[in-house]
Amino acid sequence: MARRAQTGSGCLSRGLLLLWALLGSGLCHTDTEAEGFGQDNRTSPPVAMFNWTAQLVEETYTNITQRCWELFVDLMRNVTASELCEWKVISRPYSLLQACLEGWADHLRYGYPNALAEQYIFQSHHRYFHNCTLEHQVYFDPPEDVLLAMIIAPICLIPFLVTLVIWRSKDGKAQP
């Protein structure tokens, strides 16, 4: 029997720590030396600005989303086939995938939702949740001809009823 995912914050912390360890080390380093700023504590070294081109941002986001997907797949390994359609079980991995995709898009100013994030969401549904059915019946709008009849019937009935009331009140007989 497969091991179930932890429900406490330990799983989330480990997942985020793993993601940070895999991605953070390569994205946060700059190769600039701060010389001459040690004399006065009130001055700080200049911050190296990295010129992010659209291609570099897209490439970086593509690599990060692949890591988000790998983390999601790893978390889903702990879910048995009979539990795939239970929201209580899959909500944490699914929410982590969505948060990872959205968070990194915001961090990189890439824009969310985007085509790549949608691709991973669709892929998760196709791979894991394609056999899940709704327990409750889904209601759809009726066909247009039935809907039109349901709208027009009361509208046409109102003038008839008004005419009937006026005609009965003109009869002149006192109502008992």
Side-chain angles (χ1 to χ4, degrees):
M1 185 169 188
R3 186 172 53 101
R4 289 198 67 174
Q6 282 184 321
T7 56
S9 62
C11 183
L12 175 64
S13 299
R14 270 190 285 145
L16 292 176
L17 184 61
L18 175 65
L19 186 62
W20 177 78
L22 291 172
L23 302 173
S25 60
L27 297 175
C28 298
H29 292 288
T30 56
D31 294 331
T32 59
E33 287 273 319
E35 296 182 40
F37 288 95
Q39 301 161 353
D40 188 3
N41 289 339
R42 290 174 286 143
T43 57
S44 59
V47 176
M49 297 302 287
F50 190 77
N51 187 13
W52 287 87
T53 63
Q55 182 180 5
L56 182 60
V57 168
E58 186 170 348
E59 183 179 326
T60 303
Y61 186 67
T62 301
N63 293 336
I64 289 172
T65 55
Q66 180 62 36
R67 300 282 194 266
C68 294
W69 175 253
E70 290 168 2
L71 177 65
F72 173 74
V73 169
D74 187 49
L75 292 173
M76 290 301 289
R77 282 192 189 115
N78 297 326
V79 179
T80 64
S82 63
E83 296 174 325
L84 281 177
C85 297
E86 294 181 31
W87 181 246
K88 291 178 184 177
V89 177
I90 63 161
S91 66
R92 181 174 302 271
Y94 190 82
S95 297
L96 285 174
L97 173 65
Q98 188 269 334
C100 183
L101 295 172
E102 185 176 359
W104 280 105
D106 289 345
H107 180 72
L108 295 172
R109 292 183 172 86
Y110 187 66
Y112 186 88
N114 56 60
L116 189 56
E118 287 180 5
Q119 178 184 349
Y120 281 111
I121 297 295
F122 286 137
Q123 185 176 347
S124 72
H125 284 256
H126 179 71
R127 184 171 176 179
Y128 294 103
F129 314 123
H130 67 279
N131 285 332
C132 297
T133 58
L134 296 174
E135 294 177 8
H136 305 289
Q137 182 180 2
V138 178
Y139 297 105
F140 296 101
D141 289 337
E144 286 185 26
D145 54 344
V146 174
L147 186 62
L148 187 61
M150 292 173 70
I151 292 172
I152 290 179
I155 293 173
C156 293
L157 191 60
I158 290 172
F160 173 73
L161 292 174
V162 169
T163 305
L164 184 63
V165 168
I166 292 173
W167 178 66
R168 291 295 292 171
S169 66
K170 285 185 178 183
D171 193 13
K173 295 180 186 175
Q175 298 289 333

